[in-house]
Amino acid sequence: MLNTHYPNLFKPLDLGFTTLRNRIFMASMHARFELLGQAEERAAAFYERRAKGGTALIITGGYSPNPQGVIDEGSHCLNSLDQVPRQQIITDAVHAAGGKIALQILHAGRYAKTDDLVGPSDISSPINPRKVHALSSEEVERTINDYVTCAGLAKMAGFDGVEIMGSEGYLIPTFCAAVTNNRNDKWGGSFKNRIQFPIEIVRRTRAEVGTNFIILYRISALDLVEGGLTGEETQMLARQIETAGANILTTGIGWHESRVPTIAHMVPRGGWRHTAKKIKEAVNIPVAATNRINTPETGEELLRDGDADIVALGRQMLADPDFAIKAEKGQGATINTCIGCNQACLDYIFADKPSSCLVNPIAGNELDIKITKTTRPLKVAVVGGGPAGMSAALTALDCGHGVTLYESANELGGQFNLAKRIPGKEDFQETIRYFSTRLNTGGAIIKLENSPTGNQLLEEGFDHIIVATGVKPRLLKIEGAGRSNVINYIEALTDAKPIGDRVAIVGSGGIGFDVAEYITAIDSKLSDSINAFMQHWGVDMVHTSPGGLIKRDRQATGRSVVMLQRSDSRPGKKLGLTTGWVVRGELTARGVKNITGASYNKITTQGVSITVGDDEQLIEVDTVIVCAGQEPENILYNELVREKATRVSVIGGAKGSNGLDALRAIKEGMDAVLEFN
């Protein structure tokens, strides 16, 4: 029966020997469960939860076919028969939940963080300076056989298929690109020779596993590095991979060393759809689009317009494992949307931590965090409707408690109402929408424009009070800080006060960078326009150039901005590992200057006086925006403590402003409830 909400998303996919229930895949993501122990049990719980959520096919994080190909010491490698029983823990769990699962085979190549990394040539990566050993012809053959062996073991372990990772700059695409392959044997030289490596892997794998087994190949749809493949070459490779025996082509965008953002929040939704379409035009097997597809509407549009046959969702499956089933039931408003922040997924992986999700802390922690219905419902008050307060209120509601949520403003969201104003961070509104919808439909009592006192809360007879009153801007305590040309970051981001053409931002933390982005934005709708984004970042949408890059089209801003900070450290050093480089680069291109090691003397009508070393100087500006940190807004909590109130929790910014971010706030909101549930 045709789904009336999203007919293309929920059309079954018939592969001949098996049928997938819909067109929604879970794309492969590194999880690093092995860092926590019980790796297979954790993976089983994680993937089982997504299978229960209606996902048609789950693709695991990468398993290396041999020890040389692991991303890091201790990473997954599937190369021996004795490993099969442990992998069956995963496949049994997914199958019991009604799902299908494929194991990704990933050889890290020159990205491996080990001392024995290999590649087609001895050319090191700019993001991994380790020395690379060029594989000999015999070693190339052994590596191909290792892929085949890994696939055979995956089949024995009960996997429904394998995905061969041929994207993102790992081993396989470095064979295909001339810039990383200077071999002179049959695996190098001409384009035909360079692509024999992946073709042989797929051909021999198909011979090993037989016909009734899914082989996906993740093709680098757009390398985004100088000297990568052209669009015509990519199409030629796709046709050869199809002929070799692949059932499905999934797409990857950009090598990890690319200087173009591909999945972060500033990328438009469905922004890479044209790359999947170009491949789809060349082959007869299904093609999956990926990257920044975080709503059923975007996925449905891609399929309806013929850009792809499948949508592969990665981080969105962290944010909400029930994405598919909610969409199928027409409950899109209750989907917890990925906001593309990367803070607890990719940033964690690059910091050698197991992956999770900012908007869904349960992701990756299914064995440790359990939301269960209480046998003794409590009357719970949550004061503060920011990320911490909304998280606490929803967790309490899901546990079966009665919840009253107080918020002093006329809307929920707290600091997210500021974040969503930053160009490229519009998706932060989705988190507010998710919590608001769930709280309203779940029966929470929401009292806006209401700031209860401690006595009022105690008189109401609440069994537990959670204080999530957030933070307030820290004042700048120097001469002239109260002048009319000085404003705080809230006033700047809400346009509450005028901002001149020459601006000094005091403070170079995350908030300072957000403000700098906001006041220097050339086109605040850049993230809504795919064409504008691609032009801005120098992406060749026709893909005639090797690697798909052209000259960038950057416009200068008309506002002069200087950012000041007290420390001598690199400005923005605490920005996200996988997004900070984008923000810093953008502001540099817009002419934003940074001064470090500054002592603030005073503010005058002419600007701000600072001292750097022994040099006192006047930064002549029209407006000074203070982003010098935050302080806890804890008046209510202190009052409750004075009243000797019992069963009171304090979370988020009200608990402490040092190191505060939404990741910590949302997790603390959940933890506060689970402690008494």
Side-chain angles (χ1 to χ4, degrees), residues 333-355:
T334 66
I335 291 175
N336 195 0
T337 303
C338 167
I339 60 176
C341 67
N342 289 358
Q343 284 182 241
C345 50
L346 288 178
D347 284 359
Y348 269 25
I349 293 301
F350 279 92
D352 294 325
K353 299 178 182 179
S355 181

Side-chain angles (χ1 to χ4, degrees), residues 229-253:
L229 302 192
T230 65
E232 182 180 358
E233 288 172 333
T234 303
Q235 287 183 318
M236 290 171 61
L237 173 61
R239 286 191 289 267
Q240 291 293 320
I241 293 296
E242 176 183 13
T243 301
N247 303 105
I248 296 170
L249 290 174
T250 53
T251 53
I253 309 296

Side-chain angles (χ1 to χ4, degrees), residues 344-492:
C345 50
L346 288 178
D347 284 359
Y348 269 25
I349 293 301
F350 279 92
D352 294 325
K353 299 178 182 179
S355 181
S356 187
C357 179
L358 180 146
V359 299
N360 177 27
I362 299 176
N365 296 296
E366 285 77 10
L367 289 185
D368 308 309
I369 302 177
K370 306 289 185 182
I371 305 295
T372 57
K373 289 290 185 181
T374 183
T375 57
R376 47 183 188 84
L378 302 178
K379 183 180 179 182
V380 178
V382 180
V383 185
M390 292 189 297
S391 174
L394 182 56
T395 304
L397 204 63
D398 285 344
C399 289
H401 300 291
V403 177
T404 301
L405 174 60
Y406 297 88
E407 168 54 45
S408 60
N410 60 4
E411 61 181 343
L412 297 178
Q415 296 282 308
F416 266 31
N417 285 314
L418 299 178
K420 71 183 184 184
R421 298 177 66 87
I422 312 303
K425 289 188 176 181
E426 293 85 356
D427 274 358
F428 281 56
Q429 169 60 36
E430 300 290 355
T431 302
I432 302 173
R433 181 265 312 149
Y434 164 73
F435 279 113
S436 298
T437 301
R438 290 285 320 281
L439 289 167
N440 278 296
T441 58
I445 299 171
I446 300 175
K447 296 186 176 184
L448 300 176
E449 299 182 277
N450 195 310
S451 301
T453 65
N455 283 330
Q456 288 172 331
L457 292 171
L458 294 173
E459 288 173 3
E460 286 285 338
F462 287 105
D463 299 305
H464 200 103
I465 301 168
I466 300 174
V467 179
T469 43
V471 294
K472 57 186 177 183
R474 180 176 291 130
L475 299 177
L476 193 61
K477 298 178 181 179
I478 62 172
E479 181 183 342
R483 300 186 64 88
S484 61
N485 60 339
V486 181
I487 66 176
N488 63 44
Y489 65 85
I490 296 176
E491 294 166 329

Side-chain angles (χ1 to χ4, degrees), residues 68 72-73 112-118 130-133:
Q68 284 183 314
D72 205 347
E73 296 292 345
K113 293 187 285 186
T114 64
D115 294 329
D116 189 28
L117 65 168
V118 300
R130 292 176 175 86
K131 185 177 180 180
V132 181
H133 163 68

Side-chain angles (χ1 to χ4, degrees), residues 31 187 240 296 298 359 522 528:
W187 306 106
Q240 291 293 320
T298 301
V359 299
I522 293 102
D528 293 335

Side-chain angles (χ1 to χ4, degrees), residues 144-452:
I144 294 173
N145 290 334
D146 289 340
Y147 273 89
V148 175
T149 298
C150 185
L153 292 170
K155 184 178 181 181
M156 292 178 62
F159 286 95
D160 302 285
V162 293
E163 179 183 68
I164 296 168
M165 174 49 129
S167 184
E168 268 85 346
Y170 294 112
L171 181 65
I172 289 177
T174 58
F175 265 90
C176 298
V179 69
T180 48
N181 184 342
N182 60 13
R183 304 177 70 94
N184 54 20
D185 61 1
K186 68 177 184 178
W187 306 106
S190 69
F191 175 68
K192 180 181 178 181
N193 283 0
R194 297 197 310 272
I195 63 174
Q196 285 308 303
F197 183 65
I199 292 170
E200 279 301 297
I201 290 173
V202 175
R203 186 185 67 79
R204 298 184 198 179
T205 297
R206 175 56 71 197
E208 170 72 16
V209 299
T211 55
N212 296 340
F213 190 73
I214 304 171
I215 295 181
L216 306 99
Y217 182 85
R218 182 152 157 173
I219 189 168
S220 185
L222 196 62
D223 293 335
L224 297 178
V225 293
E226 297 287 348
L229 302 192
T230 65
E232 182 180 358
E233 288 172 333
T234 303
Q235 287 183 318
M236 290 171 61
L237 173 61
R239 286 191 289 267
Q240 291 293 320
I241 293 296
E242 176 183 13
T243 301
N247 303 105
I248 296 170
L249 290 174
T250 53
T251 53
I253 309 296
W255 293 15
H256 287 315
E257 61 206 64
S258 169
R259 293 291 88 187
V260 177
T262 58
I263 61 172
H265 56 261
M266 64 284 296
V267 179
R269 290 180 180 177
W272 304 104
R273 57 192 297 174
H274 66 282
T275 65
K277 184 176 184 179
K278 195 170 185 68
I279 293 171
K280 180 173 163 57
E281 291 169 349
V283 297
N284 296 307
I285 56 176
V287 175
T290 189
N291 288 31
R292 286 291 285 146
I293 303 170
N294 61 354
T295 68
E297 289 78 14
T298 301
E300 177 70 14
E301 181 183 313
L302 291 175
L303 302 186
R304 182 199 67 205
D305 293 350
D307 295 323
D309 306 287
I310 302 157
V311 290
L313 313 181
R315 295 165 303 160
Q316 179 53 51
M317 287 297 175
L318 293 175
D320 197 330
D322 292 321
F323 177 92
I325 201 167
K326 287 178 178 179
E328 188 173 21
K329 293 179 179 179
Q331 299 172 351
T334 66
I335 291 175
N336 195 0
T337 303
C338 167
I339 60 176
C341 67
N342 289 358
Q343 284 182 241
C345 50
L346 288 178
D347 284 359
Y348 269 25
I349 293 301
F350 279 92
D352 294 325
K353 299 178 182 179
S355 181
S356 187
C357 179
L358 180 146
V359 299
N360 177 27
I362 299 176
N365 296 296
E366 285 77 10
L367 289 185
D368 308 309
I369 302 177
K370 306 289 185 182
I371 305 295
T372 57
K373 289 290 185 181
T374 183
T375 57
R376 47 183 188 84
L378 302 178
K379 183 180 179 182
V380 178
V382 180
V383 185
M390 292 189 297
S391 174
L394 182 56
T395 304
L397 204 63
D398 285 344
C399 289
H401 300 291
V403 177
T404 301
L405 174 60
Y406 297 88
E407 168 54 45
S408 60
N410 60 4
E411 61 181 343
L412 297 178
Q415 296 282 308
F416 266 31
N417 285 314
L418 299 178
K420 71 183 184 184
R421 298 177 66 87
I422 312 303
K425 289 188 176 181
E426 293 85 356
D427 274 358
F428 281 56
Q429 169 60 36
E430 300 290 355
T431 302
I432 302 173
R433 181 265 312 149
Y434 164 73
F435 279 113
S436 298
T437 301
R438 290 285 320 281
L439 289 167
N440 278 296
T441 58
I445 299 171
I446 300 175
K447 296 186 176 184
L448 300 176
E449 299 182 277
N450 195 310
S451 301

